[in-house]
Amino acid sequence: MIRQIIILLTLLVVIGSCKAQDNSSNNIKKNKNMERTTEKFDSWKYYTHRENDDYEFKSYLKGKVRQFGGENGSNYFEYAKKDKELFGTYREYYNKSKTLKLIGKYYYNDFESGIWKEYDENGYLIAEYDQDAPYKNYPWEKVEKFVKEELKLDLFDKNVSIRRYVSDKTNIPVWVIHYKVGPNIVSIKINANTGEIIKKGTNPIIK
């Protein structure tokens, strides 16, 4: 009887061990399927070359790059954009590990665009943010066409600016276009749900 009990206990231990190994194997497979980045901030280069609290340089792959941050435990930040391109890339890195925290596109005048990705300090993807979602009915491509073909404006002109926001009062996504005409600034607001111009006005430039 005692021998049978010992055999039974031994079998239970073996079965439990097999289940634990299976669970561990599943966790490993799950981790392998998770998106991970190994990108890190080059703090040595940054602190060696920076002037006046930031470091600016040109990169063949990134274009014109500006880096700053890192003081008093703050994260590191980077803005990079190639010449003759309207959109650049924003990166944020953790202070302690120097690993990539956040990456996404931005329009050179103001707004964030496309899918932004956030990673933990081990490099694993933890969140994605679709910055274009509120404006899907009247996306950037339509705004660009309107500005170029109807307003006849150059998007690289420093006197032309475009931004967007979701109204706190109405929850309506809005595009805002500003451009200079002589001594005045013209402002156009477009409802991004319908594509209709909801406001247009001209104001003198205050010097």
Side-chain angles (χ1 to χ4, degrees):
M1 182 68 178
I2 295 175
R3 184 179 179 183
Q4 290 176 338
I5 293 174
I6 293 173
I7 293 172
L8 180 61
L9 290 173
T10 302
L11 287 172
L12 289 173
V13 170
V14 171
I15 292 171
S17 175
C18 290
K19 286 184 177 180
Q21 288 179 4
D22 288 342
N23 290 335
S24 176
S25 177
N26 289 336
N27 288 335
I28 291 172
K29 288 180 180 178
K30 183 179 179 181
N31 288 337
K32 284 184 177 179
N33 290 331
M34 291 176 65
E35 181 178 329
R36 190 180 189 187
T37 179
T38 57
E39 182 176 340
K40 285 196 172 186
F41 185 75
D42 190 343
S43 58
W44 182 87
K45 185 178 180 181
Y46 169 70
Y47 284 114
T48 301
H49 297 283
R50 75 170 184 169
E51 297 179 1
N52 300 321
D53 297 326
D54 65 1
Y55 172 38
E56 294 186 8
F57 61 96
K58 286 190 175 182
S59 164
Y60 175 77
L61 295 176
K62 296 180 179 180
K64 186 177 180 180
V65 181
R66 177 174 178 256
Q67 297 176 338
F68 58 95
E71 301 302 320
N72 301 316
S74 69
N75 288 339
Y76 298 95
F77 307 92
E78 177 184 289
Y79 287 88
K81 189 180 76 68
K82 292 184 177 181
D83 292 337
K84 298 182 180 180
E85 289 192 7
L86 294 171
F87 291 85
T89 302
Y90 168 88
R91 288 177 171 86
E92 181 179 343
Y93 300 86
Y94 289 101
N95 180 279
K96 186 176 180 180
S97 63
K98 310 297 186 294
T99 54
L100 182 67
K101 177 183 179 181
L102 192 64
I103 184 171
K105 291 198 309 178
Y106 69 94
Y107 181 66
Y108 85 104
N109 267 331
D110 189 68
F111 61 86
E112 299 168 354
S113 175
I115 302 296
W116 282 52
K117 295 185 177 184
E118 184 177 359
Y119 301 88
D120 65 17
E121 289 206 63
N122 294 315
Y124 287 104
L125 180 68
I126 56 175
E128 290 186 334
Y129 312 98
D130 186 354
Q131 307 290 2
D132 296 335
Y135 311 92
K136 61 183 179 180
N137 291 335
Y138 198 80
W140 163 252
E141 290 75 15
K142 290 186 177 181
V143 175
E144 182 180 27
K145 184 177 180 180
F146 173 73
V147 172
K148 287 182 176 180
E149 297 183 5
E150 296 192 35
L151 299 180
K152 307 296 183 183
L153 297 174
D154 180 3
L155 288 168
F156 289 100
D157 187 339
K158 293 182 179 180
N159 293 313
V160 178
S161 69
I162 300 174
R163 62 188 181 90
R164 64 186 186 183
Y165 66 92
V166 177
S167 173
D168 293 332
K169 295 181 179 179
T170 63
N171 203 37
I172 294 175
V174 178
W175 288 95
V176 182
I177 303 167
H178 291 110
Y179 58 97
K180 182 181 177 183
V181 177
N184 299 314
I185 292 291
V186 178
S187 300
I188 298 176
K189 288 186 178 181
I190 300 175
N191 183 324
N193 285 334
T194 63
E196 297 178 353
I197 295 176
I198 54 179
K199 187 176 181 180
K200 183 175 181 179
T202 302
N203 295 296
I205 298 174
I206 300 175
K207 295 182 180 181

